[in-house]
Amino acid sequence: MTAFVLALVVGALFALGTFLLLRRDLIRVVWGLAIISQAANVYLLAMGGIVEGTADTVPVLAGHGEHVPETADPLVQALVLTAIVIGFGMTAFALVLSYRVYEEHDTLDVSDLGDRE
Amino acid sequence: MMELPLAAPPIGTESQLVIAPILVVLVAGVGSLLFGRWPRARIGVSLAGGAAYAVVVAAIDWYVVLAPDAPGIATYQLGDWPAPFGITLVADGLSAFMLTMVAILGIASLVFSTRVLPEIDRRSYYFPLFHFLALGVTGAFLTGDLFNLFVWFEVMLMASYVFVAYYGGPQHTRAAFWYVALNLLASAVFLLGVGGIYATTGTLNMADLARRLAEPAAYGIDPGPVVGLLALLLSVFAIKAGLVPFQFWIPTAYRAAPPQISALLAGATKKVGIYAIIRLSFTVFGDAQVGVDLALPGLGTVVAGNSPTAFVGAALFVMAAASILVGGIGAVGRESIEGVLAYSSIGQVGFIAIPVAIAATTGSAELRHLAIVAALVYALNHTLAKGLLFLAVGAIRSSTGTSRLADLGGLAGRSPPMAIAFFVGSLALVGIPPLSGFFGKFLVFDAAARAELIPVLGLLLVGSLLTIAYATRMWNRSFWGARTPAVENAAVDSVQVGVLIALAAAIVGVGIGFELVYEFADAAATAALDADGYVDAVDPTDPEEIEGLEGGEHE
């Protein structure tokens, strides 16, 4: 059931992101990119499988000598954390860049940016 | 003190060498950041960093690959965590070959940069970013797991975004925005591929992945989805390499970036895409057991084997063929030198991808090896020649103020050394015998002929003719004819021309001393195809073997 809901959420996020990506307004394009990268993150989390982790998948826990608690797959969490940080940095950069495009071209409309050369 | 029950192999000198280039370039980047208020010191730190990088890469080349008793492959487990739990760095022949190309071109571009930046803007982060770009490229070549490949790609891209927007004019910001948007999308697709592979195989460590995919039954995994996931990753790498149909960003981005950075984008970051395709298709997925058979229409080859690599080969054939035609035809009609070079670099990547495709589809181990060597030698030639030509654009622009073919003419008489260097670069691109380009082209033709792919031979021939067409046109328009006012008043910088001459000498040197280069490329191809050696060197611990650790032994 959880897997089904997750699949639905990821699909909906990708659809929304793609829709925004195809807009004429640059800010919407940035929104679309942000949503798509978040969709990829949710998907990545789901890919860890919705099962409990044990000592053989999580050797760090065994190394500390205490009782191994039930845990989600920590690898995907580490991956997603990294991906989120990178994604936020990139989105911030894209926003700054679209502001700069606005300064240079006085518009945020893609079709007014003109042809290349 | 806590002692971990998991033991990693002892760390030797070779191991430490593996991480050295990353550390050197990181220190150079941070160091040049710290000296922001003293431009001369910043340049000094940057150059010293570049020199140290070259020394370290040369040490890897010698101690890991070329020395008589070299191990051929060295690994470094970060934090002493054994693979596949820790982060693995691996240097083998393939990585070393790629690193060497980047080191040569990087130094040339770095020295060139010190002369071309107007007044060395104090507040500009040019040099730190230069090192961070090199950091991303180096990390991508050395990393041993898929997710870190993604991370290093992002490091490299982040620096390149800034460079594309560097001049800050209307067309630069516009080019940068589309470049950023495209790459963000590609990153999301990359994550999808990585996540899918993790869900399918339960690991992201390349060596562990190769081992599990070779015997899927033993690890209880169904490798079927891997073919599609590899296709996803291939599209991401094709974007980085600029293969058709993912080439559309290249002309605008290369025109917008400073020429000495375009040299790096064409010579180094493109090669990261090629490297990733070779590494994943052959080292990681080469032995994968997936039951498929595929006939290529028109080529008459039945794709041999049961590995997803065959699909990569089929897709690469199509993309490479289109790249050669689109790049070649596009380059003939451009109005500026960098426009010609940008399109040319789409076509040249096609020439690199063709032998990779041949290697992926052939059944013969010998031909596969030869084709990989051909791809690597061609890549080396492309890095040197295209790097030289883009730097020449920088020299022409900083001396005459323009790089439009219509405003140039008679440069040969104005600066004969620059003309000689440019001429050598163009000839290497075309593939004239004593130069590095000849051997690259010869090996590619050889591989296609041995695979008995007549249509591919024809395509390569057309591509070569197109190369001759745009190279002569570019040369005739800018270096011959009457001098234009811009050329008459040009002030040529001797250091810039010196860098060009040095690269031209390298191109001639590779051609003359080709035996050594071939030996190196041969070792690189062996490493790329030797999945077992890769797995043995990284030696991923099997999670099954450490069972019974529950509770842990604490001392």
Side-chain angles (χ1 to χ4, degrees):
Chain A
M1 188 59 202
T2 326
F4 183 71
V5 173
L6 269 176
L8 215 61
V9 167
V10 171
L13 282 176
F14 264 106
L16 180 62
T18 313
F19 173 74
L20 286 172
L21 204 58
L22 298 173
R23 298 285 87 191
R24 279 166 59 178
D25 185 8
L26 276 192
I27 297 300
R28 298 223 170 120
V29 173
V30 176
W31 267 111
L33 288 169
I35 289 175
I36 283 188
S37 63
Q38 295 314 314
N41 292 339
V42 175
Y43 164 86
L44 207 56
L45 264 185
M47 286 300 105
I50 309 162
V51 290
E52 290 157 10
T54 47
D56 55 323
T57 55
V58 195
V60 187
L61 293 174
H64 280 281
E66 286 102 35
H67 170 68
V68 181
E70 285 165 4
T71 167
D73 190 340
L75 180 70
V76 249
Q77 296 182 24
L79 301 190
V80 168
L81 193 56
T82 316
I84 288 175
V85 172
I86 292 176
F88 273 149
M90 293 297 186
T91 311
F93 185 78
L95 273 177
V96 171
L97 203 59
S98 42
Y99 179 66
R100 179 75 192 171
V101 170
Y102 177 69
E103 279 190 332
E104 292 287 344
H105 297 267
D106 269 332
T107 177
L108 280 173
D109 191 328
V110 174
S111 51
D112 288 349
L113 285 182
D115 295 314
R116 33 191 99 133
E117 265 48 28
Chain B
M1 205 186 96
M2 190 192 73
E3 205 167 316
L4 293 171
L6 307 169
I11 293 181
T13 325
E14 280 104 7
S15 270
Q16 283 156 349
L17 267 180
V18 177
I19 200 174
I22 294 181
L23 288 180
V24 164
V25 78
L26 184 64
V27 168
V30 175
S32 56
L33 203 56
L34 291 179
F35 285 99
R37 296 176 65 190
W38 303 280
R40 284 182 172 280
R42 172 177 271 183
I43 290 178
V45 169
S46 286
L47 288 175
Y53 185 74
V55 169
V56 168
V57 169
I60 288 186
D61 289 348
W62 180 251
Y63 287 108
V64 177
V65 186
L66 293 177
D69 56 346
I73 183 164
T75 60
Y76 183 91
Q77 312 283 2
L78 282 178
D80 224 359
W81 281 97
F85 303 107
I87 294 173
T88 312
L89 297 175
V90 187
D92 63 355
L94 184 61
S95 316
F97 191 83
M98 294 284 174
L99 280 177
T100 312
M101 288 193 325
V102 171
I104 296 171
L105 182 63
I107 300 256
S109 175
L110 188 61
V111 174
F112 194 90
S113 300
T114 61
R115 300 296 293 190
V116 82
L117 293 180
E119 288 284 294
I120 314 289
D121 182 357
R122 276 162 201 259
R123 274 167 298 178
S124 142
Y125 291 107
Y126 183 91
F127 285 104
L129 279 169
F130 189 99
H131 292 295
F132 290 131
L133 181 66
L135 176 65
V137 174
T138 312
F141 287 148
L142 290 176
T143 185
D145 75 272
L146 270 183
F147 189 78
N148 278 286
L149 188 64
F150 164 79
V151 173
W152 290 118
F153 264 60
E154 296 303 308
V155 171
M156 172 182 94
L157 288 172
M158 248 185 255
S160 71
Y161 295 155
V162 185
F163 279 128
V164 173
Y166 189 72
Y167 287 133
Q171 75 273 34
H172 307 116
T173 48
R174 195 175 60 210
F177 188 85
W178 294 124
Y179 180 61
V180 170
L182 173 73
N183 279 301
L184 281 181
L185 196 59
S187 302
V189 176
F190 199 162
L191 279 183
L192 294 189
V194 166
I197 285 180
Y198 181 65
T200 311
T201 64
T203 184
L204 287 176
N205 185 292
M206 291 190 200
D208 201 18
L209 209 54
R211 196 183 55 176
R212 288 177 184 221
L213 286 171
E215 309 166 57
Y219 294 91
I221 54 177
D222 168 25
V226 157
V227 181
L229 294 166
L230 186 59
L232 267 188
L233 292 182
L234 180 68
S235 68
V236 175
F237 301 147
I239 287 179
K240 307 293 183 262
L243 282 162
V244 173
F246 305 110
Q247 90 296 356
F248 46 87
W249 60 272
I250 286 193
T252 38
Y254 282 21
R255 266 200 302 258
Q260 65 278 11
I261 296 300
S262 298
L264 271 190
L265 291 180
T269 61
K270 237 175 199 212
K271 301 305 178 310
V272 175
I274 297 287
Y275 164 82
I277 291 175
I278 294 181
R279 173 66 84 210
L280 282 190
S281 320
F282 298 104
T283 318
V284 178
F285 290 86
D287 291 341
Q289 302 289 323
V290 186
V292 288
D293 269 317
L294 187 66
L296 288 183
L299 295 173
T301 320
V302 173
V303 169
N306 43 7
S307 125
T309 307
F311 284 110
V312 173
L316 270 182
F317 263 126
V318 178
M319 294 201 281
S323 299
I324 290 177
L325 295 177
V326 169
I329 294 170
V332 173
R334 292 302 111 188
E335 280 162 12
S336 63
I337 303 182
E338 66 263 37
V340 174
L341 294 179
Y343 272 92
S344 144
S345 105
I346 298 171
Q348 300 289 312
V349 160
F351 275 98
I352 302 172
I354 282 279
V356 178
I358 292 175
T361 47
T362 183
S364 134
E366 201 183 328
L367 179 57
R368 178 173 284 200
H369 183 87
L370 172 77
I372 297 281
V373 171
L376 291 175
V377 171
Y378 205 100
L380 171 69
N381 172 56
H382 179 247
T383 297
L384 293 176
K386 200 47 72 58
L388 164 61
L389 292 175
F390 267 117
L391 290 183
V393 171
I396 292 171
R397 253 208 232 164
S398 67
S399 59
T400 67
T402 179
S403 59
R404 285 170 52 84
L405 290 171
D407 299 337
L408 291 170
L411 264 173
R414 187 67 192 76
S415 171
M418 197 208 283
I420 291 170
F422 194 92
F423 194 58
V424 169
S426 313
L427 288 185
L429 215 53
V430 173
I432 300 296
L435 307 172
S436 59
F438 167 71
F439 295 100
K441 217 151 237 175
F442 176 77
L443 286 167
V444 172
F445 273 96
D446 192 26
R450 284 189 201 206
E452 292 172 358
L453 298 170
I454 307 300
V456 171
L457 274 178
L459 177 80
L460 291 173
L461 205 60
V462 171
S464 306
L465 291 177
L466 284 170
T467 312
I468 295 175
Y470 64 71
T472 28
R473 176 171 172 272
M474 187 165 65
W475 168 263
N476 286 349
R477 291 284 202 87
S478 48
F479 283 84
W480 275 350
R483 287 190 204 177
T484 58
V487 173
E488 200 60 60
N489 301 323
V492 181
D493 184 295
S494 54
V495 175
Q496 291 179 8
V497 174
V499 172
L500 298 184
I501 293 287
L503 272 180
I507 289 175
V508 177
V510 167
I512 292 172
F514 186 68
E515 232 161 285
L516 183 69
V517 177
Y518 185 84
E519 201 181 302
F520 196 0
D522 194 54
T526 310
L529 295 173
D530 183 12
D532 293 339
Y534 192 83
V535 173
D536 287 345
V538 177
D539 189 27
T541 319
D542 198 331
E544 305 293 319
E545 286 168 23
I546 56 163
E547 223 167 0
L549 288 175
E550 221 151 340
E553 295 93 54
H554 192 58
E555 288 176 59

